[in-house]
Amino acid sequence: MAELDFSFSAIDYDSLQNEEITIQEFIDIALRPSSYDEESPMDIIGNILMEPHSHEGGAPEISGVEIVEVEFDKKKK
């Protein structure tokens, strides 16, 4: 399984820890491409998904990504 590390707002993280927002809401906020000046986490996810297919030639395109399962352990930051 691929693992993605990315930066996020301390305020958003505190809201998650305090259960003011759900993990899905946190992910939606943290992965929003407009939050990043350069490469967003969604860009990185796209690269992770495309890498195994790079040897196949052509120009595949990812038109959307849906996160269907998330694990969050409050003990691990």
Side-chain angles (χ1 to χ4, degrees):
M1 174 172 40
E3 188 172 304
L4 173 66
D5 292 325
F6 56 92
S7 300
F8 46 82
S9 158
I11 294 169
D12 295 333
Y13 183 71
D14 288 343
S15 294
L16 175 63
Q17 289 288 85
N18 296 326
E19 298 181 357
E20 296 165 2
I21 60 174
T22 66
I23 184 66
Q24 185 63 54
E25 291 169 321
F26 175 78
I27 289 170
D28 290 342
I29 292 166
L31 297 184
R32 187 176 302 132
S34 61
S35 302
Y36 297 86
D37 293 332
E38 296 180 19
E39 192 173 46
S40 76
M42 288 306 287
D43 294 330
I44 297 168
I45 290 170
N47 293 337
I48 290 170
L49 293 173
M50 297 303 291
E51 180 60 32
H53 305 286
S54 61
H55 69 282
E56 296 172 3
E61 183 179 305
I62 297 174
S63 60
V65 174
E66 180 181 2
I67 299 172
V68 294
E69 184 177 334
V70 177
E71 293 181 23
F72 175 68
D73 185 347
K74 286 185 178 182
K75 296 173 190 163
K76 296 180 182 179
K77 292 189 175 184

